[in-house]
């Protein structure tokens, strides 16, 4: 079963927020067929810890303001190298560019469809 329209809508808003804060990369992955707990992983990266924090704050603000969605769980904020935001339908992994390259979550979830979220830097659905 593909990701719900609601999950894609939230992921798109989060991707737009990340783009507005000049995230280096933005990738949406439909994990609904593999995980029962969430529909979309949004993986974003930035070049500094401060930039990762700005991206995270903007994503939280936009989802709260535009959709009334609050973060269920937030982890990793102190270090600023990899922050996980759980919104239920969408889980955001905001990473420093070095962590993104090292852990390569896109490779780990390569069997899942990528989502075109309509922002610069986002993966196209036919790329793997």
């Amino acid at each position: 079963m593909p990701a719900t329209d609601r999950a894609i809508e939230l992921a798109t808003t989060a991707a737009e927020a990340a783009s507005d804060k000049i995230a280096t990369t933005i990738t949406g992955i439909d994990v609904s067929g593999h995980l029962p707990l969430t529909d979309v992983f949004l993986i974003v990266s930035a070049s500094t810890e401060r930039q990762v924090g700005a991206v995270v704050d903007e994503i939280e603000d936009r989802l709260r303001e535009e959709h009334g969605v609050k973060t269920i769980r937030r982890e990793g904020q102190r270090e600023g190298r990899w922050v996980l935001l759980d919104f239920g339908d969408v889980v955001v992994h905001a990473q420093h560019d070095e962590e993104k390259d090292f852990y390569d979550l896109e490779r780990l979830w390569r069997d899942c469809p990528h989502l075109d979220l309509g922002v610069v830097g986002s993966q196209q659905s036919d790329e793997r």
Side-chain angles (χ1 to χ4, degrees), residues 19 46 57 67 79 82 86 98 104 122 124-125:
S19 179
D57 291 344
H67 300 282
E79 298 82 17
W82 184 345
D86 183 354
E98 293 171 358
D104 198 8
S122 70
Q124 301 302 309
S125 59

Side-chain angles (χ1 to χ4, degrees), residues 17-39:
S19 179
D20 288 349
K21 290 299 178 180
I22 322 214
T24 308
T25 60
I26 303 167
T27 306
I29 302 174
D30 181 345
V31 296
S32 61
H34 296 278
L35 292 176
L37 301 175
T38 192
D39 281 354

Side-chain angles (χ1 to χ4, degrees), residues 68-79:
V69 176
K70 294 182 181 178
T71 311
I72 296 169
R73 185 177 194 118
R74 181 180 190 168
E75 295 185 15
Q77 182 63 35
R78 214 174 274 208
E79 298 82 17

Side-chain angles (χ1 to χ4, degrees), residues 3 9 53 57 78 85 94 105 113 126-127:
E9 180 182 12
D57 291 344
R78 214 174 274 208
L85 301 172
L105 294 178
D126 57 6
E127 290 182 358

Side-chain angles (χ1 to χ4, degrees), residues 7-17 116-119:
I8 293 171
E9 180 182 12
L10 294 176
T12 300
T13 299
E16 290 168 353
D116 181 359
L117 300 173
V119 296

Side-chain angles (χ1 to χ4, degrees), residues 38-87:
T38 192
D39 281 354
V40 175
F41 276 174
L42 181 67
I43 303 166
V44 300
S45 68
S47 58
T48 67
E49 289 88 349
R50 177 177 255 170
Q51 193 70 28
V52 170
V55 167
V56 165
D57 291 344
E58 185 67 14
I59 289 171
E60 284 188 310
D61 290 345
R62 293 274 291 276
L63 288 178
R64 184 177 43 255
E65 291 168 7
E66 295 181 20
H67 300 282
V69 176
K70 294 182 181 178
T71 311
I72 296 169
R73 185 177 194 118
R74 181 180 190 168
E75 295 185 15
Q77 182 63 35
R78 214 174 274 208
E79 298 82 17
R81 304 282 297 179
W82 184 345
V83 180
L84 183 135
L85 301 172
D86 183 354
F87 294 99

